[in-house]
């Protein structure tokens, strides 16, 4: 039964479904649940620093249940998205309802879409990676697969990494720098991959080109079939989805830097270069993303067996709570700056 705890990750789309069904002020149930109820629950439930024993970890790796809990997000995300698009195209909603649904669907795109895509994007099978890329489509962030796997994991906690927030950088500034730099980094990585394989820009292997075509085609299809209102909704919900991702990126590595060795190269990525959180609610809802230090230590490790490392910098709150705090930069800096190792803050 303990393995079924990750079903709680579906609580966010359930809230969004309630908003679609009842409308009215129910459309705001998802953001309230995600950023009010979950942070409160994180304060109530204890922190769990326990790691799995080797035999138990091996057993969990053999259970397909953990994989299917990820795969199930594909029909849920797209089913919810299509339902919302049909609703806004056929019914006249009050402005507050329309905006509430944008945030509700956008949160689902970020949590059950991009976050799950991140996990699947590290898998070795083509089918799982395909599912991951499909989940990135509605948020217009398919380039994330390339930049994250070939860029971020190489440059994390260095100035070269757009997804690492600088010490004293606000989340609002980070949204712009990270979004823009990651997109262009993905193109640069793609060009290098093509060049290394002696392929032209218009090669069928140019994934970035395909991503652009698919994402534009997605919007054109919505606009032509469901109309302008649905197109506007899809566009804004996608933005909410990737802004949510960038907020997570912000708290994952804020202020942490790899120091340079005598040779001038950066030290290897260690457990101390990502913020870790053992708050159980955030761990479950985000498929253990909060044990981010271990993920960077071994990126191929599946979510259900990620460990906590004592040397990792620990967040005082869970990821959902920390995302709320990041929205108030002075409060965020007051809480987090003193936790950044001094040698990193002064670098």
């Amino acid at each position: 039964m303990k393995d079924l705890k990750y079903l709680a990750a579906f609580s966010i789309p359930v809230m969004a479904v309630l908003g679609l069904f009842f409308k009215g002020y129910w459309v705001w149930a998802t953001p309230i649940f995600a950023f009010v109820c979950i942070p409160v629950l994180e304060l109530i439930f204890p922190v769990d620093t326990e790691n799995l024993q080797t035999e138990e970890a091996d057993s969990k790796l053999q259970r397909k249940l953990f994989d299917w809990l990820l795969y199930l997000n594909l029909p849920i995300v797209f089913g919810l998205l299509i339902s919302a698009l049909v609703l806004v195209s056929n019914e006249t909603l009050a402005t507050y309802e329309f905006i509430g649904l944008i945030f509700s669907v956008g949160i689902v795109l970020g949590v059950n879409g991009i976050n799950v895509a991140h996990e699947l994007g590290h898998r070795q099978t083509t089918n799982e990676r395909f599912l991951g890329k499909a989940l990135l489509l509605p948020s217009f962030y398919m380039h994330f697969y390339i930049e994250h796997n070939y860029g971020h994991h190489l440059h994390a906690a260095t100035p070269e990494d757009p997804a690492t927030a600088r010490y004293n950088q606000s989340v609002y500034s980070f949204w712009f720098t990270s979004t823009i730099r990651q997109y262009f980094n993905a193109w640069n990585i793609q060009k290098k991959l093509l060049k290394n394989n002696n392929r032209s820009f218009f090669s069928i292997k140019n994934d970035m080109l395909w991503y652009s075509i698919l994402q534009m085609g997605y919007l054109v299809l919505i606009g032509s079939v469901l109309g302008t209102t649905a197109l506007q909704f899809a566009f804004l919900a996608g933005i909410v989805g990737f802004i949510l991702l960038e907020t997570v990126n912000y708290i994952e590595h804020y202020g942490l830097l790899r120091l340079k060795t005598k040779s001038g190269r950066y030290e290897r990525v260690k457990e101390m270069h990502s913020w870790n959180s053992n708050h159980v609610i955030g761990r479950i809802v985000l498929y253990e993303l909060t044990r981010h230090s271990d993920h960077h230590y071994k990126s191929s490790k599946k979510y259900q067996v990620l460990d906590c490392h004592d040397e990792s910098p620990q967040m005082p709150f869970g990821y959902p709570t920390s995302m709320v705090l990041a929205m108030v930069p002075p409060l965020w800096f007051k809480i987090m700056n003193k936790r950044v190792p001094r040698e990193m803050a002064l670098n």
Side-chain angles (χ1 to χ4, degrees):
M1 290 298 293
K2 285 178 63 177
D3 294 344
L4 295 177
K5 64 185 178 182
Y6 294 106
L7 286 171
F10 300 124
S11 59
I12 290 179
V14 165
M15 289 295 165
V17 169
L18 290 176
L20 284 175
F21 184 78
F22 291 111
K23 296 184 276 297
Y25 289 106
W26 276 98
V27 299
W28 291 94
T30 308
I32 291 172
F33 176 75
F35 297 114
V36 177
C37 297
I38 289 180
V40 169
L41 289 173
E42 285 191 316
L43 294 175
I44 296 173
F45 280 76
V47 172
D48 181 10
T49 60
E50 186 177 348
N51 293 329
L52 298 173
Q53 298 298 317
T54 303
E55 289 184 3
E56 188 178 1
D58 291 340
S59 174
K60 286 183 179 291
L61 287 173
Q62 299 301 317
R63 297 177 202 167
K64 293 297 291 182
L65 168 68
F66 295 103
D67 296 328
W68 280 102
L69 286 172
L70 296 178
Y71 306 157
L72 187 56
N73 282 279
L74 188 73
I76 288 175
V77 168
F78 278 94
L80 177 66
L81 176 61
I82 292 170
S83 298
L85 290 172
V86 171
L87 175 67
V88 299
S89 66
N90 289 307
E91 294 191 25
T92 302
L93 301 175
T95 301
Y96 80 91
E97 291 178 304
F98 188 73
I99 295 173
L101 283 178
I102 287 172
F103 278 101
S104 293
V105 174
I107 290 170
V108 173
L109 294 182
V111 175
N112 300 82
I114 300 177
N115 181 47
V116 174
H118 164 257
E119 173 72 21
L120 293 173
H122 282 290
R123 299 295 176 88
Q124 301 303 310
T125 66
T126 302
N127 289 340
E128 287 179 306
R129 291 183 176 185
F130 174 82
L131 293 179
K133 293 172 186 177
L135 286 168
L136 293 171
L137 172 62
S139 293
F140 324 118
Y141 241 55
M142 297 182 79
H143 62 278
F144 174 81
Y145 171 79
I146 290 178
E147 207 290 323
H148 182 82
N149 288 282
Y150 296 97
H152 175 63
H153 273 269
L154 180 64
H155 300 296
T158 73
E160 283 76 21
D161 178 39
T164 295
R166 303 187 308 273
Y167 184 80
N168 271 337
Q169 181 180 17
S170 75
V171 69
Y172 304 108
S173 164
F174 180 78
W175 286 348
F176 289 99
T177 59
S178 182
T179 300
I180 294 170
R181 288 181 62 200
Q182 280 196 71
Y183 181 74
F184 286 106
N185 271 12
W187 270 111
N188 290 332
I189 292 169
Q190 180 66 83
K191 290 175 184 176
K192 288 179 182 178
L193 291 173
L194 291 171
K195 184 178 180 181
N196 291 341
N197 289 282
N198 295 316
R199 296 182 183 276
S200 70
F201 179 84
F202 293 103
S203 167
I204 195 172
K205 294 295 185 179
N206 186 339
D207 289 338
M208 283 296 291
L209 191 58
W210 279 112
Y211 299 159
S212 299
I213 293 171
L214 288 170
Q215 289 169 169
M216 286 299 297
Y218 162 74
L219 289 175
V220 169
L221 179 64
I222 291 173
S224 59
V225 174
L226 296 174
T228 305
T229 303
L231 175 61
Q232 181 185 26
F233 181 91
F235 183 73
L236 294 175
I239 291 176
V240 171
F242 74 70
I243 288 295
L244 203 64
L245 162 71
E246 293 300 352
T247 306
V248 172
N249 279 341
Y250 176 80
I251 67 175
E252 284 176 338
H253 301 281
Y254 171 77
L256 302 178
L257 286 175
R258 287 150 60 191
L259 304 179
K260 286 190 175 181
T261 62
K262 292 181 180 179
S263 66
R265 293 188 174 188
Y266 289 107
E267 61 184 327
R268 69 177 182 83
V269 178
K270 300 177 183 177
E271 297 91 330
M272 67 177 67
H273 295 126
S274 305
W275 289 100
N276 187 77
S277 168
N278 291 302
H279 294 75
V280 293
I281 302 300
R283 285 177 54 188
I284 293 170
V285 172
L286 294 174
Y287 296 101
E288 303 291 353
L289 179 70
T290 66
R291 286 194 161 182
H292 205 61
S293 302
D294 197 33
H295 169 67
H296 270 274
Y297 186 66
K298 190 173 182 181
S299 61
S300 61
K301 205 169 182 181
K302 291 186 175 183
Y303 73 94
Q304 66 266 29
V305 295
L306 288 173
D307 289 326
C308 166
H309 297 276
D310 293 335
E311 55 268 48
S312 301
Q314 301 297 316
M315 304 202 80
F317 305 102
Y319 271 29
T321 306
S322 298
M323 293 168 72
V324 175
L325 292 176
M327 297 295 108
V328 188
L331 182 59
W332 171 261
F333 297 148
K334 183 177 181 180
I335 293 173
M336 295 302 297
N337 281 5
K338 60 187 177 184
R339 294 175 175 269
V340 177
R342 184 170 175 79
E343 65 274 15
M344 295 185 186
L346 296 177
N347 206 302

